[in-house]
């Protein structure tokens, strides 16, 4: 006998149907409740549709309701569904409509719910999630809308979930708690957003094809260790196809077609342990070369890479796998590569295939000799022209550019002719691209364009097989490695990639660029060594620039094989070791710059064989030994810079045999001995910089023959006097620096008046007495007579030196006041008079005249004199003070207070007013001088508190107010200042001094 409540539910269910839908012969048409349902099951009264089981008290309960596919229609909502023993509800393949009722949650023992292929609408009710025994849920192929409820995670026993063929939207929720789910299908909906981070790790099959899912495949997909089938096709997924899918321990079928993937990651073991049988990556945006590793995957038999943007040649591995795969390796049964930009010949093994043996499609590529009429696998589209192939390679490069603010590539469109409509592209008569020129710095007769592009270098550029010039210099923001594929550009003659942010090593494949004439990779972040094998083959190279990188190791001796080289620039790297002797073989070399490296050993003698050399820069290294006498062979040399090394020994007399030399820069070495008189033979010489060496003896009188000399800097040596009067003949000499030599001059020779010097520097050369009167009529701009024994007054005629911009008379014995005529020095910008005995007021200095935009002070140092004050309150308003950077007045009895107007000096960085007898408060206005880094106010009589605005200046590095009468709490401050900077102020307290006492 059937339990009474179960009979009522069966009646409700039948009565809720459209009576016209229960056709003759269907299960429901036979249900006749004049008899007991369970007792008469499978009789004429109840032919089919349900199952009963005796549960308790000899009463039968309905445990299964499984309808035939008779086209039933109607709503499910009129039924109470109070069938607590029902385990299966199978209503699929009918026409039930309306929403899924919440009352289904009454089916507490339900294990299978199948409502597939009906006309149900509305959302998935969260009430279903209370069916804790449910193992299979089929809601597919209805008209359900809304989101997939995350509460489905409550179905702990769920094994199979089918939601495909509805109108579900929004993101798919994280269903990682469904630890028993092995089958999930949500295909053919309108699901958007990204894939969830976590899927149930028990999944065997995952399908979400034909939705609107975006983003990347999450890395946690590797946790699905049982997954065998994954279909995410027909979505909007992008990025890279992760390598983990090709190393997966159980994945057999991978379908990612019709997405927007741009690349394929290569697995670490080349997929040798993969279980994949079929891979479909067709109809994406995949670029670059075909993934070679797929030809070695042992079980792969079906591969579709059709309708992407792959370039390059078909890997031999693909062809061998189709014909003779090898022991234990499954052969290709389907190899679909059509609709790409593959070029070159078809591999021989493919040519040997018999029709019908393997399904191969190569149509719609750029393959050489692939006529449809002859080869069965060339069907599916005519081969593209190589012009189209070049265009696609350039579009791939554009695809890798992430920012183009000046729209340098805006004309590069798929629908236009790259040869005639694209800016920066030139083609030959056959339509092949030969020039790609998109530098970031372009200049013409009346314009300069300076711009940038961000992105990476696409390997696709290597497919421009006729390319002769590639100029992507000065784009500033190109990053990543230089593709080794560039070594295939066998026609390339000019390669400019300088002034970017490229990293990695110089590709060894560059050794195949036999036609290369000019190669510039300067000013990037390239590292590693300079590959020796590159130099062995680039015999056509005339210009080579690797400067401004992070290259290390030694300079290969094979550099001597670049016999056509005229320019060689490796400066500003981390190169070490010796300069190879083979450098002497580069007989055509004109410019050689190895400066700013860590090169050691001596300058090779072979360098004297470079008779065409115009410029030689070896400065800022660690070169030792002497300058070889073979330098006499540098008959074309004009510019020679060997400064900042560890060179020793004497200058060879042969240095006087350089007929075209203009500049000799040997400063900051350890060269010694006498200066060769033969230097006087160098009539073309314009500049001598020999400072900071150990030269001794007298200055050769032959230097008077250097008729074109403009600069003579012999400072910081051990030269002795007198200065040869023959130097008076150097009427073109503008700079003479003999400072810090024991010349014993006593006075400046009067014949100096005959010269037209711009800068005269004679610091610590033994001068005594007063300033010579002839200076008053000179045109000198920079005068440094510091650290001598000069005495007397600062003469009023100093005001006649109106060209002065720099004046240093420090460390002497001047004892007068500053004459009023000082105001006439309207071009003066730097004045240093410290450590004299000068006195009087400072007005004539601070209020001097200016000649806009020149004549504004940069630095003033008047410390350690006897100047009196007070400082004028308007000192910061004086025209000459507006650009002041450094003001040092320490150790003068100035008195008075600190002028508030100093806060108006917006460029002031250094303020030193130590031991000046100052009183009053520290003006809060000093906090307006935002560039201040150093404030020293110690040993005065300052009082009051320390202004917070001053102590918290953003750029402040050093601050000292010790030895004053300041009081109050030290304001909190960011700069680390020692306690000693606040000592001897009895009223100060707070960090870094002891804390303040509370009254």
């Amino acid at each position: 006998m059937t339990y009474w409540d179960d009979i009522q539910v069966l009646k409700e269910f039948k009565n809720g149907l459209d009576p016209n839908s229960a056709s003759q012969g269907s299960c429901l048409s036979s249900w006749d409740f004049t008899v007991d349902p369970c007792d008469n099951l499978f009789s004429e009264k109840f032919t089919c549709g349900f199952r009963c089981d005796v549960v308790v008290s000899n009463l039968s309960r309905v445990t299964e309701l499984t309808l035939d596919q008779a086209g039933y229609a109607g709503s499910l909502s009129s039924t109470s569904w109070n069938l607590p023993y029902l385990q299966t509800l199978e209503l699929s393949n009918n026409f039930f409509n309306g929403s899924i009722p919440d009352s289904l949650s009454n089916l507490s023992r339900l294990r299978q719910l199948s409502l597939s292929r009906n006309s149900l609408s509305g959302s998935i009710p969260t009430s279903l999630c209370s069916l804790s025994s449910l193992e299979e849920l089929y809601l597919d192929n209805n008209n359900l809308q809304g989101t997939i409820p995350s509460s489905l995670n409550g179905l702990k026993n769920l094994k199979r979930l089918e939601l495909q063929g509805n109108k579900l939207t929004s993101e798919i929720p994280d269903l990682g708690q469904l630890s028993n789910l092995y089958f999930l299908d949500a295909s053919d909906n309108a699901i958007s957003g990204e894939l969830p981070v976590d899927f149930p790790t028990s999944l065997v099959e995952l399908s979400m094809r034909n939705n609107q899912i975006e983003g990347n495949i999450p890395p946690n997909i590797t946790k699905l260790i049982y997954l065998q089938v994954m279909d995410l096709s027909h979505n909007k997924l992008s990025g890279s196809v992760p390598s983990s899918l090709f190393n997966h321990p159980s994945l057999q079928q991978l379908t990612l077609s019709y997405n927007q993937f741009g690349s394929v990651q290569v697995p670490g073991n080349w997929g040798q342990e993969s279980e994949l049988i079929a891979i479909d990556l067709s109809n994406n945006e995949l670029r670059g070369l075909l993934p070679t590793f797929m030809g070695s995957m042992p079980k792969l038999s079906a591969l579709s890479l059709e309708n992407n943007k792959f370039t390059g040649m078909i890997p031999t591995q693909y062809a061998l796998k189709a014909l003779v795969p090898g022991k234990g390796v499954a052969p290709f049964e389907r190899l679909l590569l059509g609709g790409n930009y593959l070029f070159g010949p078809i591999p021989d093994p493919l040519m040997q295939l018999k029709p019908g043996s393997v399904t191969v499609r190569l149509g719609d590529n750029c393959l050489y000799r692939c006529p449809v009429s002859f080869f069965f696998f060339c069907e599916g589209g005519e081969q593209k022209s190589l012009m189209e192939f070049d265009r696609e390679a350039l579009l791939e490069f554009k695809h890798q550019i992430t920012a183009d603010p000046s729209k340098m590539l805006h004309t590069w469109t798929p629908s236009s002719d790259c040869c005639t409509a694209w800016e920066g592209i030139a083609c030959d008569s056959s339509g092949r691209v030969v020039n790609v020129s998109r530098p970031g710095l372009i200049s013409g007769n009346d314009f300069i364009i300076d711009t940038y592009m961000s992105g990476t270098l696409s390997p696709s550029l290597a497919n421009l097989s006729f390319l002769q010039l590639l100029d992507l210099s000065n784009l500033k923001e190109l990053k990543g490695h230089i593709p080794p594929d560039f070594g295939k550009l066998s026609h390339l003659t000019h390669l400019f990639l300088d002034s970017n942010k490229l990293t990695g090593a110089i590709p060894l494949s560059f050794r195949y660029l036999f036609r290369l004439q000019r190669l510039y990779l300067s000013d990037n972040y390239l590292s590693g060594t300079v590959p020796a094998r590159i130099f062995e083959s680039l015999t056509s190279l005339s210009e080579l620039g690797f400067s401004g990188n992070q290259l290390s190791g030694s300079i290969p001796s094979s550099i001597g094989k670049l016999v056509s080289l005229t320019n060689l620039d490796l400066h500003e790297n981390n190169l070490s070791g010796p300069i190879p002797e083979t450098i002497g073989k580069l007989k055509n070399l004109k410019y050689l710059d190895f400066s700013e490296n860590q090169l050691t050993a001596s300058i090779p003698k072979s360098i004297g064989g470079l008779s065409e050399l115009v410029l030689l820069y070896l400065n800022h290294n660690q070169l030792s030994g002497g300058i070889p006498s073979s330098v006499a062979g540098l008959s074309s040399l004009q510019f020679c810079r060997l400064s900042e090394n560890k060179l020793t020994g004497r200058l060879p007399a042969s240095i006087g045999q350089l007929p075209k030399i203009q500049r000799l820069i040997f400063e900051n070495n350890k060269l010694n001995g006498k200066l060769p008189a033969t230097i006087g033979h160098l009539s073309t010489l314009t500049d001598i910089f020999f400072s900071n060496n150990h030269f001794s003896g007298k200055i050769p009188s032959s230097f008077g023959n250097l008729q074109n000399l403009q600069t003579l800097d012999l400072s910081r040596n051990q030269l002795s006097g007198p200065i040869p009067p023959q130097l008076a003949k150097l009427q073109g000499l503008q700079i003479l620096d003999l400072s810090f030599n024991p010349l014993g001059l006593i006075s400046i020779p009067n014949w100096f008046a005959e010269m037209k010097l711009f800068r005269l520097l004679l610091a610590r050369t033994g001068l005594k007495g007063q300033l010579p009167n002839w200076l008053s009529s000179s045109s000198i701009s920079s005068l440094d007579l510091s650290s001598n024994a000069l005495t007397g007054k600062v003469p009023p005629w100093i005001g006649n030196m109106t060209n002065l911009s720099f004046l240093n008379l420090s460390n002497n014995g001047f004892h007068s006041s500053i004459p009023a005529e000082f105001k006439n020095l309207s071009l003066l910008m730097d004045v240093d008079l410290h450590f004299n005995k000068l006195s009087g007021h400072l007005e004539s200095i601070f209020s001097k005249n200016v000649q806009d935009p020149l004549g504004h002070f940069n630095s003033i140092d008047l410390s350690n004199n006897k100047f009196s004050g007070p400082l004028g309150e308007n000192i910061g308003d004086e025209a000459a003070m507006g650009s002041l950077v450094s003001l040092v007045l320490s150790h003068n009895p100035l008195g008075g207070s600190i002028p508030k107007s100093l806060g108006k000096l917006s460029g002031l960085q250094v303020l030193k007013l130590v031991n000046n007898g100052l009183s009053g408060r520290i003006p809060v206005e000093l906090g307006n001088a935002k560039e201040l880094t150093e404030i020293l106010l110690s040993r005065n009589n300052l009082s009051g508190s320390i202004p917070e605005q001053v102590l918290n200046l953003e750029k402040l590095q050093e601050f000292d107010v010790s030895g004053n009468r300041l009081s109050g709490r030290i304001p909190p401050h960011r700069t680390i200042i020692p306690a000693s900077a606040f000592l001897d102020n009895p009223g100060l307290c707070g960090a870094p001094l002891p804390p303040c006492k509370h009254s």
Side-chain angles (χ1 to χ4, degrees):
M1 179 182 294
T2 308
Y3 188 71
W4 173 253
D5 285 352
D6 289 8
I7 296 173
Q8 290 302 112
V9 173
L10 293 177
K11 287 181 179 180
E12 291 171 359
F13 178 61
K14 180 176 180 179
N15 292 336
L17 296 181
D18 179 352
N20 296 322
S21 66
S23 58
Q24 188 71 27
S26 65
C27 288
L28 280 176
S29 67
S30 71
W31 286 11
D32 183 351
F33 291 99
T34 60
V35 297
D36 185 278
C38 291
D39 288 348
N40 291 278
L41 185 59
F42 305 123
S43 70
E44 292 183 357
K45 301 290 186 180
F46 287 97
T47 58
C48 57
F50 60 94
R51 172 182 169 178
C52 299
D53 288 293
V54 177
V55 181
V56 290
S57 303
N58 295 319
L59 289 175
S60 296
R61 304 301 299 261
V62 176
T63 58
E64 183 175 320
L65 182 54
T66 306
L67 292 188
D68 52 342
Q69 301 174 16
Y72 302 117
S75 171
L76 301 178
S77 299
S78 58
T79 305
S80 64
W81 295 108
N82 189 16
L83 297 172
Y85 286 91
L86 193 71
Q87 296 182 25
T88 301
L89 178 57
E90 166 63 271
L91 306 179
S92 58
N93 291 287
N94 283 288
F95 295 100
F96 291 109
N97 52 41
S99 60
I100 299 174
D102 288 329
S103 53
L104 286 176
S105 61
N106 295 327
L107 304 175
S108 56
R109 288 181 173 83
L110 195 67
R111 299 176 64 182
Q112 178 184 329
L113 174 58
S114 180
L115 303 178
S116 304
R117 296 179 180 83
N118 280 286
S119 300
L120 298 170
S121 58
S123 60
I124 301 173
T126 56
S127 57
L128 289 183
C129 304
S130 64
L131 300 175
S132 57
S133 298
L134 198 63
E135 296 179 2
E136 298 178 31
L137 177 57
Y138 302 91
L139 302 179
D140 54 284
N141 295 286
N142 281 285
N143 293 310
L144 298 175
Q145 299 174 335
T147 61
I148 300 172
S150 59
S151 53
L152 286 176
N153 278 299
L155 303 177
K156 301 299 184 183
N157 292 301
L158 195 65
K159 297 178 180 179
R160 189 176 184 101
L161 176 59
E162 297 199 24
L163 304 173
Q164 68 270 24
N166 282 289
K167 299 177 181 178
L168 299 171
T169 57
S170 193
E171 295 186 0
I172 189 165
D174 187 333
L175 298 175
Q177 298 178 42
L178 299 178
S179 57
N180 291 301
L181 193 71
Y182 69 86
F183 185 97
L184 172 58
D185 192 344
S187 303
D188 301 307
N189 279 287
I191 297 170
S192 57
E194 298 188 358
L195 291 168
V197 174
D198 287 316
F199 281 101
T201 55
S202 52
L203 276 177
V204 174
E205 185 166 340
L206 172 63
S207 180
M208 293 187 180
R209 66 181 176 276
N210 198 23
N211 280 288
Q212 299 174 28
I213 302 172
E214 300 175 329
N216 301 334
I217 295 177
N220 284 1
I221 208 83
T222 55
K223 294 182 179 179
L224 309 185
I225 57 174
Y226 304 107
L227 192 66
Q228 296 181 15
V229 177
M230 183 165 76
D231 186 350
L232 301 177
S233 60
H234 293 270
N235 277 289
K236 297 179 180 179
L237 295 168
S238 57
S240 294
V241 180
S243 58
S244 56
L245 295 178
F246 307 111
N247 278 332
H248 198 281
S250 58
L251 192 62
Q252 298 178 19
Q253 182 176 326
L254 175 63
T255 307
L256 299 176
S257 55
Y258 291 94
N259 277 288
Q260 298 169 13
F261 290 108
S263 61
V264 176
Q265 292 181 359
V266 179
N269 63 358
W270 281 58
Q272 292 299 301
E273 299 176 6
S274 173
E275 295 291 317
L276 277 165
I277 297 171
I279 297 176
D280 186 354
L281 303 180
S282 63
N283 295 280
N284 277 282
E285 298 289 327
L286 298 172
R287 289 170 159 82
L289 304 179
L290 289 171
T292 306
F293 72 91
M294 291 183 181
S296 305
M297 295 173 73
K299 296 186 178 181
L300 189 65
S301 61
L303 175 62
S304 178
L305 301 175
E306 286 187 306
N307 300 316
N308 281 287
K309 297 186 177 179
F310 285 115
T311 57
M313 294 191 288
I314 300 172
T316 305
Q317 291 91 328
Y318 285 23
L320 291 174
K321 187 174 173 64
L323 184 68
V324 284
K327 186 177 180 181
V329 177
F332 272 140
E333 296 176 10
R334 288 170 58 85
L335 178 60
L336 311 182
L337 305 178
N340 284 287
Y341 292 87
L342 305 175
F343 64 90
I346 298 170
D348 283 341
L350 287 184
M351 306 286 276
Q352 300 175 34
L353 291 174
K354 296 179 180 179
S357 60
V358 182
T359 301
V360 179
R361 288 210 295 259
L362 303 179
D364 194 22
N365 276 290
C366 304
L367 294 167
Y368 177 64
R369 292 183 179 174
C370 192
V372 176
S373 59
F374 191 75
F375 297 118
F376 67 93
F377 43 70
C378 292
E379 297 175 356
E382 294 290 338
Q383 296 298 307
K384 303 181 183 82
S385 71
L386 290 173
M387 292 170 58
E388 199 172 342
F389 177 64
D390 285 357
R391 182 176 62 190
E392 180 56 32
L394 293 169
L395 287 173
E396 162 61 10
F397 165 70
K398 181 180 179 179
H399 180 77
Q400 302 283 18
I401 298 300
T402 56
D404 180 14
S406 297
K407 298 183 177 179
M408 299 179 70
L409 305 181
H410 78 286
T411 59
W412 293 25
T413 60
S415 59
S416 57
D417 186 341
C418 65
C419 292
T420 59
W422 290 17
E423 294 177 358
I425 303 299
C427 300
D428 61 14
S429 57
S430 65
R432 299 304 305 276
V433 172
V434 292
N435 288 5
V436 177
S437 182
R438 292 281 79 190
L441 186 61
I442 308 169
S443 60
N445 293 332
D446 56 354
F447 71 91
I448 294 179
I449 297 175
D450 190 359
T451 187
Y452 75 93
M453 284 200 301
S454 301
T456 57
L457 288 173
S458 171
S460 68
L461 291 175
N463 296 329
L464 302 173
S465 54
F466 277 65
L467 193 66
Q468 299 174 23
L469 180 145
L470 177 59
D471 186 356
L472 300 175
S473 63
N474 249 301
L475 290 173
K476 302 161 187 77
E477 295 294 328
L478 287 183
K479 299 177 181 178
H481 292 196
I482 300 173
D485 296 350
F486 280 17
K488 297 189 299 186
L489 296 170
S490 58
H491 288 81
L492 200 63
T493 59
H494 295 70
L495 178 57
F496 304 122
L497 301 177
D498 47 292
S499 300
N500 283 291
K501 292 182 179 177
L502 300 172
T503 54
I506 298 171
L508 185 60
S509 60
F510 275 18
R511 69 183 188 271
Y512 300 120
L513 303 177
F514 302 112
R515 292 184 172 92
L516 204 59
Q517 298 173 18
R518 300 174 69 188
L519 173 59
Y520 282 93
L521 306 178
S522 308
D523 299 311
N524 281 287
Y525 297 100
L526 300 174
S527 56
T529 60
V530 179
R533 295 179 66 181
I534 287 181
F535 294 155
E536 292 175 1
S537 55
L538 302 186
T539 54
S540 298
L541 202 63
S542 62
E543 297 180 21
L544 174 64
F546 289 171
S547 64
N549 282 289
Q550 299 168 8
L551 300 172
S552 56
S554 59
I555 300 174
S557 60
S558 59
I559 201 167
K561 297 187 177 182
L562 304 180
V563 292
S564 300
L565 213 57
T566 60
N567 290 25
L568 176 56
D569 187 356
L570 303 180
H571 88 268
E572 198 180 343
N573 279 287
N574 298 315
L575 298 170
S576 57
I579 298 173
E581 192 75 29
T582 54
I583 200 78
K585 297 181 179 180
L586 306 181
K587 301 300 183 182
N588 294 303
L589 204 59
K590 293 184 177 180
Y591 299 94
L592 174 59
D593 190 349
F594 287 169
S595 63
E596 299 179 70
N597 280 287
Q598 300 171 27
L599 300 174
T600 53
S602 57
I603 300 172
K605 294 179 181 179
S606 63
I607 208 164
L610 304 179
S611 58
E612 298 294 320
L613 198 64
V614 173
L615 180 146
L616 174 61
Y617 281 1
L618 303 178
N619 52 291
H620 285 91
N621 280 288
Q622 300 176 31
L623 298 171
S624 56
I627 297 174
S629 58
S630 62
V631 296
L634 301 175
S635 55
S636 300
L637 194 64
Q638 298 179 28
F639 307 99
C640 182
R641 187 168 186 175
L642 308 180
S643 55
E644 289 81 29
N645 278 290
K646 299 178 180 179
L647 297 172
T648 56
R650 296 171 176 263
L651 286 182
S654 59
I655 202 167
Q657 300 176 34
L658 302 175
K660 296 182 180 180
I661 194 68
Q662 296 181 30
R663 307 189 84 191
L664 289 175
I665 306 176
F666 296 166
E667 58 197 5
N668 299 312
N669 279 288
K670 298 179 181 180
L671 299 167
N672 56 39
K674 294 183 178 182
L675 295 172
T678 54
I679 290 179
H681 300 156
L682 304 177
S683 59
T684 57
L685 198 59
T686 60
D687 299 281
I688 294 177
F689 293 93
F690 288 177
S691 68
N692 200 26
N693 279 285
H694 299 153
F695 292 120
S696 57
K698 297 181 179 181
I699 300 171
S701 59
S702 62
F703 277 26
N705 299 326
L706 301 175
Q707 58 195 32
N708 289 302
L709 198 65
Q710 298 175 15
T711 303
L712 178 58
D713 184 355
L714 304 177
S715 61
R716 300 181 187 276
N717 281 286
Q718 299 169 21
L719 298 171
S720 55
I723 301 173
Q726 288 84 353
L727 295 188
K729 295 188 295 182
L730 303 179
Q731 291 301 297
L733 193 66
Q734 296 181 20
I735 301 173
L736 177 60
D737 189 353
L738 304 177
S739 301
F740 301 98
N741 279 289
L743 293 173
L745 290 183
I746 301 179
S747 64
I748 302 175
N750 288 331
W751 52 263
F752 269 45
E754 303 172 24
M755 306 173 76
K756 300 172 183 177
L757 293 172
F758 181 74
R759 300 183 65 196
L760 176 60
L761 309 161
L762 296 174
R764 197 177 291 175
T765 53
L767 292 173
K768 297 180 180 180
Q770 300 183 357
L771 293 174
N773 290 336
W774 62 263
L775 285 173
S776 65
S777 58
S778 72
S779 58
I780 291 174
S781 174
S782 297
L783 179 63
D784 186 353
L785 303 178
S786 61
S787 302
N788 282 294
L790 296 169
T791 58
K793 298 181 178 181
V794 177
W797 54 252
I798 199 167
N800 297 334
M801 299 183 69
T802 53
N803 286 320
L804 269 182
S805 64
F806 177 91
L807 176 63
N808 189 351
L809 300 178
S810 64
N811 288 290
N812 279 291
F814 294 106
H815 55 77
S816 67
S817 60
I818 302 298
E821 291 81 0
F822 195 92
K823 287 189 175 184
N824 297 333
L825 302 181
S826 58
L827 295 178
L828 189 65
M829 293 187 291
D830 295 276
V831 58
D832 189 351
L833 303 177
H834 80 271
F835 270 112
N836 278 285
K837 300 175 183 178
L838 299 167
S839 59
H841 290 284
L842 300 173
E843 174 106 14
S844 55
I845 295 179
F846 298 147
S847 62
K848 77 169 191 73
N849 300 328
V850 298
Q851 290 186 35
D852 276 327
L854 305 176
H856 299 273
F857 277 124
N858 176 63
S859 65
I860 298 174
D861 189 348
L862 306 176
S863 60
N864 293 280
N865 279 287
K866 298 179 179 181
F867 289 116
S868 57
L871 295 175
E873 188 57 43
N874 296 323
I875 182 174
D877 296 314
E878 299 287 355
M881 303 290 283
S883 301
L884 191 66
V885 173
S886 176
L887 177 61
V888 183
L889 304 178
S890 301
H891 306 291
N892 283 288
L894 297 177
S897 60
I898 301 173
K900 297 178 181 178
S901 62
L902 288 177
K904 298 179 180 180
L905 303 179
S906 59
L908 191 64
Q909 297 177 20
V910 177
L911 176 62
K912 296 183 181 181
L913 299 176
V914 177
N915 190 24
N916 289 129
L918 299 169
S919 59
R921 291 176 170 271
I922 300 173
V924 67
E925 288 81 1
L926 271 185
N928 296 328
K930 302 297 185 184
E931 297 297 315
L932 273 169
T933 61
E934 191 174 348
I935 301 177
L936 305 183
L937 306 176
S938 59
R939 297 169 61 188
N940 284 291
N941 295 308
L942 299 170
S943 58
S945 60
I946 300 173
E948 183 177 353
Q949 297 93 322
V950 175
L951 198 55
N952 279 287
L953 282 162
E954 187 174 349
K955 297 184 179 180
L956 191 64
Q957 298 175 13
E958 187 173 355
F959 182 81
D960 192 344
V961 291
S962 61
N964 281 284
R965 295 189 296 160
L966 298 168
S967 60
R969 184 188 300 273
I970 298 171
H973 47 278
R974 294 183 296 270
T975 306
I976 299 175
I977 302 173
S980 59
F982 300 100
L983 293 178
D984 297 326
N985 287 281
L988 277 184
C989 60
L993 296 180
C996 298
K997 297 178 181 179
H998 296 285
S999 56

